[in-house]
């Protein structure tokens, strides 16, 4: 008599539960929740969530994968560098927009001041000395 039916779903390697990802994806596409899928397959919803996350994650870049662990570090550094550059560029654009608005306001104030004419306590026209 085998113990396999008593110990639950088949496991391989270091205790990793085998899941039919085709079935998981089909059930998910039909609108089943993670709990319902887990109950139907005899695993926890956390396992289903983990497998879906790993299955839908983009494959690693083959260039960096070929370099090994140091390549993965280089990939992370490159991504962090890109994020920093994007943030700096967004800050520069925001500063340029603010500067443009301030310039418009300054010009508008200058023009409205000129159009208003001389003040009552000043003699002469406009800004003439």
């Amino acid at each position: 008599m085998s113990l396999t039916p008593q110990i639950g779903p088949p496991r391989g390697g270091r205790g990793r539960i085998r899941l039919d990802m085709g079935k998981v994806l089909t059930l998910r596409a039909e609108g089943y929740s993670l709990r319902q899928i887990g109950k139907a397959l005899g695993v926890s919803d956390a396992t289903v969530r983990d497998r879906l996350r790993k299955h839908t994650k983009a494959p690693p870049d083959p260039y960096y994968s070929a370099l090994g662990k140091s390549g993965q570090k280089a990939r992370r550094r490159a991504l962090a560098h890109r994020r920093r550059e994007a943030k700096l560029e967004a800050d520069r654009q925001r500063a340029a927009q603010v500067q443009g608005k301030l310039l418009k306001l300054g010009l508008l104030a200058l023009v409205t001041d000129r159009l208003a004419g001389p003040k009552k306590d000043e003699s002469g026209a406009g800004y003439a000395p």
Side-chain angles (χ1 to χ4, degrees):
M1 182 171 165
S2 171
L3 290 176
T4 307
Q6 297 171 1
I7 60 173
R11 298 169 184 262
R14 294 173 33 206
R16 189 173 168 86
I17 297 173
R18 290 188 216 130
L19 272 183
D20 180 12
M21 284 309 295
K23 194 177 259 187
V24 171
L25 292 171
T26 303
L27 289 171
R28 192 67 179 150
E30 290 175 5
Y32 286 94
S33 71
L34 297 179
R35 272 192 188 167
Q36 291 169 329
I37 295 170
K39 194 173 273 190
L41 299 176
V43 295
S44 71
D45 56 323
T47 301
V48 175
R49 184 180 306 109
D50 181 54
R51 297 297 169 82
L52 278 172
R53 194 174 287 148
K54 285 180 182 170
H55 184 42
T56 57
K57 192 166 36 168
D61 190 339
Y63 170 76
Y64 292 110
S65 294
L67 296 176
K69 197 174 239 183
S70 64
Q72 294 301 316
K73 287 182 181 177
R75 180 181 149 275
R76 282 196 290 277
R77 279 195 307 271
L79 288 173
H81 181 70
R82 279 191 221 130
R83 279 193 300 270
R84 278 194 305 273
E85 286 297 320
K87 186 176 177 185
L88 286 172
E89 182 59 30
D91 288 345
R92 278 189 222 111
Q93 287 179 354
R94 236 180 279 122
Q97 286 177 346
V98 168
Q99 190 176 12
K101 287 179 183 178
L102 287 174
L103 188 60
K104 284 179 188 175
L105 286 174
L107 289 173
L108 186 62
L110 183 66
V111 168
T112 52
D113 194 34
R114 287 260 179 163
L115 291 176
K119 297 188 173 135
K120 290 187 180 186
D121 59 345
E122 292 180 6
S123 60
Y127 289 96

